[in-house]
Amino acid sequence: MNTEQFRVAAKAAIDEIANYHDSVPEHRVVSAVEPGYLRPLLPASAPLDGEPWEAIQSDIQSKILPGITHWSSPGFMAFFPCSSSYPAAIAEMYSNAFNGAHFNWICSPAVTELETIVMDWLAQALGLPECFLSGGPTHGGGVIHGSASEAILTVMVAARDKYINEATAHLPEGEDKEEETWRLRSKLVALGSAGAHSSTKKAAQVLGVRFATVPVSQDNGFSMTGEALTKTLDELRAKGLEPFYLTATLGTTDVCAVDDFASIASALGPRAGKPGEIWVHVDAAYAGAALLLDENKPLAEPMAAFHSFNFNPHKWMLTTFDCSAVWVRHRGHLIAALSIKPPYLRNQYSDNELVTDYRDWQIPLGRRFRSLKLWFVLRSYGIRGLQAHIRNGVSLGESLEEKLVSREDLFSVFTRARFGLVTFRVKGDDGGEEEVNRRTERLYEAVNASGRFYLTSTVVNGHFAIRVCTGTAAVREEHVRGLFELLVETVEKQLKE
Amino acid sequence: MNTEQFRVAAKAAIDEIANYHDSVPEHRVVSAVEPGYLRPLLPASAPLDGEPWEAIQSDIQSKILPGITHWSSPGFMAFFPCSSSYPAAIAEMYSNAFNGAHFNWICSPAVTELETIVMDWLAQALGLPECFLSGGPTHGGGVIHGSASEAILTVMVAARDKYINEATAHLPEGEDKEEETWRLRSKLVALGSAGAHSSTKKAAQVLGVRFATVPVSQDNGFSMTGEALTKTLDELRAKGLEPFYLTATLGTTDVCAVDDFASIASALGPRAGKPGEIWVHVDAAYAGAALLLDENKPLAEPMAAFHSFNFNPHKWMLTTFDCSAVWVRHRGHLIAALSIKPPYLRNQYSDNELVTDYRDWQIPLGRRFRSLKLWFVLRSYGIRGLQAHIRNGVSLGESLEEKLVSREDLFSVFTRARFGLVTFRVKGDDGGEEEVNRRTERLYEAVNASGRFYLTSTVVNGHFAIRVCTGTAAVREEHVRGLFELLVETVEKQLKE
């Protein structure tokens, strides 16, 4: 394909993409294909000779589109949203044009420098404490990862090395120190609340350290408290174990609970800044975007007591997947844990510490130019435009909650609307918990089978609940009303049967 | 930005991108900006109100472009290439339109199914043994990661868990088994040759296991041999350590050496398939693309003795960054090490094992629709078109080598052209090794300062050498000739001074 053919083909693709966006509401939300649908449609091997562009492009409509679940559909209220936008899509086009591996500053200075700047912009817009700014007092800063899972693994590595280094700093180099290091490694425990996303457990599994759960209860809205944390820590330490890392959550995946940051900070206070300190990472993958709203700014203040923070602009902030924003209070801990300097990566700028080499802030070496889409999104919408989008999701969640409450003969709200997430259950008669679980699951399956909406469910402390998330950009009051009517109609029919 | 505005803005961006591609050869290869160039050009914070699109788009030219190093320039002969193509660029546009997190099959069945199919296509095209096919006898298969670093970390996790599980399988569950597990963890050693990419060392650092280097020598063309490996393993085991993982390399970063796979397989043979077996991963990040050529197919055969293999289509196979292809012989080992199943990720398809959930084959949870660009590239070029592209890079490397040999009064070839990579040094007089290093470094710096070409250097066993890689798609004989003339002219001038 030469440049002229590219102009034609790419512009035709733009039209097709624009048409797709406008037609999304007409599609069934979730793809209806059966497992294995695609293999019989494609040849058994790659073609020997190149195919004409028209043949390739037409397969998008005929073979790929049927296998797509439409995350931008106003009926998509499952998981958390994965929101895209036109400005982000155009940014990605430029990013691909400036294609490179970008592991060093010199690989394309703009890639590194824009990332530092927009991550500072974003930290300010969220109201994060200044320790997370690149020019802040503790030499912190932000970096873009691909996913919260990577972010959590990365900070857990830094936390582990920091913990071990500080615990063995008093020992002289030698065999004793090495032995103590290995003894400590075998005792390390990473923690998260029962509501923490599975990525913390997975990171512990990857690193080969223990994982322990801090219980949460419905009385506290499933929020982790300092008290519960202290109890868990005491139990672990009584067994000779070494808790070194904690994920606290702002907006848990199952019910959008917010952990009690103030009491967690108090509980950990006595060891803060000393050997044995526990690294606290705050995972705000979804709900972090809500810190853009002034009314949520107080939630950001306690972060000053913690070590790192992440949220995913690709979830609720219109920044096409993938874009996970991570900030640390001391970048030195990341670099100490992750830096490797072989001769073929050396260059005068890095050697003289004039520049940031983000490869030392992450697991991969190469990096995409992801800051471009964040920059385009922040500028196209402006902070006020983004606030309006977030407020829309928040208030639609509240609207659904109100509707559910209006039919408390049929539904009980399990956790109230927060950050656009409501969870609820179907009312039971006298069949107890099991009957409620069964009825709720039945409703959940029927609504998803309709193809009009896509919801997910969760099980919290044995309670089966339906999750509805109204954060997808296209959701409007009419869709929430439509969902509610379908819920009522379906459950009434099911109760009659 | 509404859909109509997107059509206009995106098409204007297509024109700008097409113009950029055509103008690349006119640019200085490496950006000439000074560290910190961008911050003074941008406001101190994100705008409150959205900006007009024109203001954003025009900043690409005025503020971003000066900070770009042009990886697609015919003068880019540094590192390894990062090759893009128009078909891949269009695929990325569609991928972004079908935006989603795609961690489960049901998130968009096409994303999973196309990946399995094109990874099979690609394995066949490379001539990989059938154990790496998704339908192969050992239940293997391929997955797309973002980078070779992720690939290596991921398989190292699987290797570690497999090693420990097998070594402790004879023990009944209980405290003794747990103690032995932790004892083993403290003794694990991952290995790579002295030429293995730093990502293996980094993965070991991340996992908190020891890393040991197998020495290589110029006599063997810096290729790791079974003999050297055996010696290193014996030394480690004599210290009570437990080697569990090895990265073998097809095309090392510094000199494109190929490890001696046959002798490595023989050396490890006695433990193969038994507890204590060492997992061998073959890192072919750059040179793997050369397996597309029939004459290189014999290099793929010995892979049948190994456990996993990766190469990066984003390096030399025209598949815009990022796309790192990884295959394993037994997918079960990956899934055992990386699977986590919280209730909110469960669904009937995954629960019934009808589908592949690639999230269990990788560190991150979410995934981009990267198979689309691989599919577009394989179909647009066809295998023969890709072979022609790879052959071009290979023969241009040979052409440069010939030219260097023709001036053996000035240059000595350090390692011969292989896979489009040549390394060479400047001849010395009687000043010995130090003089050669100094002269070579001086030439290297002068050529890079010219802005016409971008080369990298390496230091192997104390020898400073200039690396020239001719794999970038735009490189032609005229550029190789131009580089050679500049090298001669510069070194002659420097020798006169």
Side-chain angles (χ1 to χ4, degrees), chain B residues 116-165:
Chain B
T116 308
I117 294 167
V118 296
M119 289 298 282
D120 280 345
W121 283 14
L122 194 51
Q124 290 166 342
L126 300 179
L128 291 183
E130 66 167 343
C131 60
F132 294 110
L133 297 178
S134 67
T138 51
H139 304 285
V143 59
I144 303 177
H145 285 186
S147 66
S149 303
E150 281 172 72
I152 287 171
L153 176 63
T154 305
V155 297
M156 198 185 282
V157 171
R160 179 199 63 198
D161 287 7
K162 171 181 178 291
Y163 189 91
I164 290 177
N165 290 341

Side-chain angles (χ1 to χ4, degrees), chain A residues 341-359:
Chain A
K341 284 209 177 133
Y344 48 80
L345 293 179
R346 294 187 62 175
N347 64 84
Q348 51 164 325
Y349 303 100
S350 303
D351 285 353
N352 295 331
E353 296 189 359
L354 285 171
V355 298
T356 302
D357 280 332
Y358 277 124
R359 67 164 194 269

Side-chain angles (χ1 to χ4, degrees), chain A residues 457-491:
Chain A
S457 60
T458 190
V459 181
V460 185
N461 294 3
H463 309 301
F464 186 100
I466 298 176
R467 292 169 81 257
V468 180
C469 186
T470 53
T472 297
V475 183
R476 297 286 173 270
E477 176 60 25
E478 69 197 79
H479 308 112
V480 172
R481 199 182 319 113
L483 169 66
F484 178 68
E485 286 164 4
L486 180 64
L487 288 168
V488 170
E489 187 186 305
T490 310
V491 82

Side-chain angles (χ1 to χ4, degrees), chain B residues 20-30 69-78 81-84 389 392-393 396 400 420 447-448 450-455 468-484 486:
Chain B
Y20 166 71
H21 276 289
D22 283 352
S23 73
V24 160
E26 298 152 27
H27 288 282
R28 219 191 116 82
V29 185
V30 180
T69 290
H70 307 284
W71 287 62
S72 60
S73 166
F76 191 97
M77 302 181 187
C82 195
S83 61
S84 58
H389 157 66
N392 180 59
L396 291 173
L400 179 61
V447 169
N448 276 350
S450 78
R452 284 177 56 204
F453 295 94
Y454 187 29
L455 313 178
V468 180
C469 186
T470 53
T472 298
V475 182
R476 298 286 172 271
E477 175 61 23
E478 69 198 77
H479 308 110
V480 172
R481 198 182 320 117
L483 170 65
F484 178 67
L486 181 64

Side-chain angles (χ1 to χ4, degrees), chain B residues 250-318:
Chain B
L250 196 166
T252 58
T253 309
D254 41 19
V255 299
C256 257
V258 176
D259 288 339
D260 182 354
F261 300 127
S263 74
I264 290 169
S266 296
L268 299 177
R271 291 182 192 231
K274 299 180 199 142
E277 177 184 40
I278 291 179
W279 179 302
V280 183
H281 175 74
V282 177
D283 174 16
Y286 166 66
L291 297 180
L292 289 170
L293 302 183
D294 292 336
E295 57 269 36
N296 291 325
K297 287 283 187 296
L299 283 171
E301 284 166 23
M303 302 304 143
F306 303 142
H307 300 76
S308 49
F309 177 91
N310 81 280
F311 98 100
N312 293 355
H314 67 233
K315 280 199 163 70
W316 199 10
M317 215 190 81
L318 304 169

Side-chain angles (χ1 to χ4, degrees), chain B residues 315-334:
Chain B
K315 280 199 163 70
W316 199 10
M317 215 190 81
L318 304 169
T319 313
T320 306
F321 189 84
D322 54 356
C323 181
S324 179
V326 195
W327 289 268
V328 292
R329 199 169 63 191
H330 300 282
R331 58 183 177 249
H333 295 313
L334 281 187

Side-chain angles (χ1 to χ4, degrees), chain A residues 7 16 19 94 160 206, chain B residues 7 16 19 94 160 206:
Chain A
R7 284 183 206 265
E16 216 177 67
N19 295 344
Y94 282 108
R160 177 199 64 196
V206 166
Chain B
R7 285 184 206 264
E16 217 176 68
N19 295 343
Y94 282 108
R160 179 199 63 198
V206 166

